[in-house]
Amino acid sequence: MKSGHSEQAGMLSGPSPLPSPAAALRRGLLGLDGLSRYAICTSMAIMVLLVSAQVFCRYVLSESIDWADEMSRLAFVWAVFLAIPHGLKQGVHVGIDVITNRLPARLQEGLARLMLAVSGVLMVVVCYQSVLVAIEGWDELMPTVPVSAAVFYVPVMLSCGHALLHLLFMAWQGTRVWADEEDAS
């Protein structure tokens, strides 16, 4: 009886206990998700404050903050790219499943895991290309602030790394590995 229970704990078909390496990686991903949420909220707050200040200055003071547009755009880019792994984790991305929904459940899961792994490879390629572009353009400064224009690529790199971890974790543990979080919210 005990060996059957440990076999069940080793396989993940829902919110059952994870084996120890998976549990450690899950905890690490949850911590990374928390940091990412904090960075997203900070980016959104910066964007809202800058745009609000710019509107106030333009329409009340008849002045303009010359760097507000650029920095609010940067904050927006950071917020959007840092949020992508959260969407992947919850499965709220755009997908076409007309054919796959007609397949047996085991085949659907196997195909989903294969696509998660392939998407992980895509994240590596995008991250690598982002690094190359950032390195090549690091000397180019933004027009209104003395900051490299390549900082627009940093959230792409972070997003790819974070998304890669989620994609590989779900490919390894199954598409329902985060189901208990969905049920809690």
Side-chain angles (χ1 to χ4, degrees), residues 78-98:
W78 274 78
V80 169
F81 277 98
L82 293 179
I84 289 172
H86 297 279
L88 288 173
K89 173 184 172 183
Q90 298 302 326
V92 294
H93 49 79
V94 175
I96 301 171
D97 55 6
V98 174

Side-chain angles (χ1 to χ4, degrees), residues 1-14 16-19:
M1 182 75 179
K2 210 170 194 187
S3 67
H5 182 268
S6 66
E7 280 181 40
Q8 273 186 335
M11 297 180 346
L12 186 64
S13 60
S16 60
L18 294 172

Side-chain angles (χ1 to χ4, degrees), residues 122-185:
L122 178 63
M123 289 297 110
V124 171
V125 170
V126 172
C127 184
Y128 176 74
Q129 290 299 317
S130 297
V131 169
L132 292 179
V133 171
I135 290 170
E136 188 174 310
W138 197 259
D139 294 335
E140 183 182 330
L141 297 178
M142 291 185 206
T144 58
V145 289
V147 175
S148 171
V151 296
F152 279 95
Y153 292 98
V154 174
V156 177
M157 295 175 226
L158 295 174
S159 175
C160 287
H162 189 182
L164 175 64
L165 293 174
H166 274 295
L167 290 167
L168 294 179
F169 185 65
M170 289 187 295
W172 174 34
Q173 291 297 306
T175 58
R176 300 289 300 158
V177 71
W178 299 108
D180 58 336
E181 273 197 357
E182 291 173 15
D183 297 338
S185 53

Side-chain angles (χ1 to χ4, degrees), residues 12-107:
L12 186 64
S13 60
S16 60
L18 294 172
S20 136
L25 182 55
R26 181 186 172 107
R27 279 191 305 275
L29 279 171
L30 288 171
L32 184 58
D33 289 348
L35 289 172
S36 176
R37 277 190 202 95
Y38 178 77
I40 292 165
C41 290
T42 302
S43 295
M44 292 296 291
I46 289 168
M47 181 183 66
V48 168
L49 290 171
L50 281 173
V51 170
S52 299
Q54 178 73 321
V55 168
F56 176 80
C57 287
R58 278 190 181 175
Y59 294 104
V60 175
L61 304 177
S62 296
E63 292 291 326
S64 182
I65 306 170
D66 61 346
W67 51 268
D69 291 338
E70 203 159 46
M71 296 311 290
S72 62
R73 190 177 313 116
L74 181 61
F76 175 76
V77 168
W78 274 78
V80 169
F81 277 98
L82 293 179
I84 289 172
H86 297 279
L88 288 173
K89 173 184 172 183
Q90 298 302 326
V92 294
H93 49 79
V94 175
I96 301 171
D97 55 6
V98 174
I99 295 173
T100 56
N101 281 345
R102 296 173 189 235
L103 298 173
R106 283 183 66 132
L107 190 54

